[in-house]
Amino acid sequence: MSITPKFIIVAIDGGAASGKSSTARVLAQRFNLLHADTGSYYRALTAELLGRGVKTANAAAVRAELADLRLGTKVAGHDAHITINGTEVAEAAIRGAAVNAAVSHFAALPAMRSALLAYQRGLADEARGKKFAGLVMEGRDIGSVIFPKADLRFFLSADPLERARRRDRQGQPDAVAERDRLDSSREASPLICPAGAVAIDSTRLELAEVVKKMAGLIAAKLPGGI
Ligand code: CDP
């Protein structure tokens, strides 16, 4: 009798520059998971809408332009990149100052969130279809809204000064504290640590230590422990 291997879903939420992406990337490699950086999806849609001259204040225009976008996925290694109308949005276009300043304003709009809801959930099927052992998805509302029943839900935090230092070291002008304020105070899917999530404060932890904590819990969920 063959045993179907368990497909696991790991959710990682946390504030700006809390270490979600670096951690998720290492876990994806180690456990053969598809990695979805949902912040990059909000950034890609924001860059597209900014390029089309859409303002956040004009909800009708936001809805109309979003309805015109066909979202798809390009898997490269362990990463699930979003495509818009068949084209992948360049990293440089989504990590710049203009998108940093606008993304949290766009991400607060219910139309933006619903445009990405089914897309993000659908990545579990994408991962299964491509024979990954699971999905690791990081963002702000993954454990609370997108996959509240994920096998594991983590919430990463770190001191705001330390996070601002991390972003500076990456050479990116970014108002980390301001984005956190907007993300935590919005009505639609705010950044919260959902009940039952495993909270990890990474202020004084190296990446390897955060990974070790998470990897131990993930391995315990897998048959044979890996
Ligand atoms: O990399 P960093 O932590 O700075 O941010 P990000 O993950 O790239 O996310 C950029 C922005 O997208 C966040 O500040 C949120 O406004 C928004 N976002 C969101 O609202 N929900 C998510 N699941 C992911 C990102």
Side-chain angles (χ1 to χ4, degrees), residues 15-18 20-21 37-40 42-43 95 103-104 107 113 120 138-142 167 174 179 183 186:
S18 57
K20 302 179 300 290
S21 296
D37 169 3
T38 64
S40 73
Y42 282 93
R43 287 170 178 276
R95 304 280 162 198
V103 64
S104 291
R113 308 211 71 82
Q120 291 169 103
E138 40 138 339
R140 302 293 187 291
D141 60 345
I142 312 306
R167 224 0 80 92
D174 192 0
R179 277 203 290 128
D183 293 343
R186 69 183 176 219

Side-chain angles (χ1 to χ4, degrees), residues 208-220:
E209 296 173 285
V210 178
V211 167
K212 198 172 166 208
K213 279 179 192 278
M214 292 187 177
L217 292 168
I218 295 172

Side-chain angles (χ1 to χ4, degrees), residues 34-85:
L34 181 65
H35 170 208
D37 169 3
T38 64
S40 73
Y41 309 158
Y42 282 93
R43 287 170 178 276
L45 289 190
T46 298
E48 178 71 26
L49 294 179
L50 286 176
R52 292 174 177 225
V54 180
K55 302 271 181 291
T56 47
N58 189 344
V62 171
R63 272 199 306 277
E65 294 296 333
L66 285 173
D68 189 40
L69 307 181
R70 188 171 39 84
L71 305 183
T73 307
K74 189 174 154 227
V75 174
H78 288 88
D79 294 324
H81 298 286
I82 197 167
T83 61
I84 298 179
N85 295 337

